[in-house]
């Protein structure tokens, strides 16, 4: 189980690193756009993303 957690964290860090390395100015634009979205909407977006991630992990474990 610990290896799966390390794998997941490693994949997230790799993807985040790619964004920072390949498009740092685009990241600034995205952060500015996110700051203009109301906090409740951002919270709902986060919860939807979390739920999607949990469902994808659950599906991958059952296959």
């Amino acid at each position: 189980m610990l290896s799966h957690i390390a794998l997941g964290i490693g994949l997230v860090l790799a993807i985040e690193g790619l964004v920072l390395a390949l498009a740092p100015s685009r990241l600034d634009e995205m952060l500015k756009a996110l700051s203009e979205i109301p906090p409740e909407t951002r919270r709902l977006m986060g919860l939807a993303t979390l739920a999607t991630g949990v469902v994808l992990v659950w599906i991958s474990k059952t296959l």
Side-chain angles (χ1 to χ4, degrees):
M1 169 121 172
L2 189 57
S3 64
H4 287 89
I5 293 171
L7 175 65
I9 292 171
L11 288 171
V12 168
L13 290 175
I15 292 169
E16 291 290 330
L18 277 174
V19 171
L20 289 171
L22 298 177
S25 60
R26 186 75 172 130
L27 181 63
D28 290 337
E29 294 170 13
M30 289 188 327
L31 289 173
K32 183 179 177 190
L34 276 174
S35 70
E36 296 172 357
I37 298 173
E40 283 302 315
T41 303
R42 285 184 284 181
R43 182 172 287 117
L44 288 174
M45 289 169 54
L47 288 171
T49 303
L50 173 65
T52 303
V54 168
V55 167
L56 287 173
V57 168
W58 178 69
I59 289 172
S60 71
K61 296 298 268 181
T62 59
L63 293 177

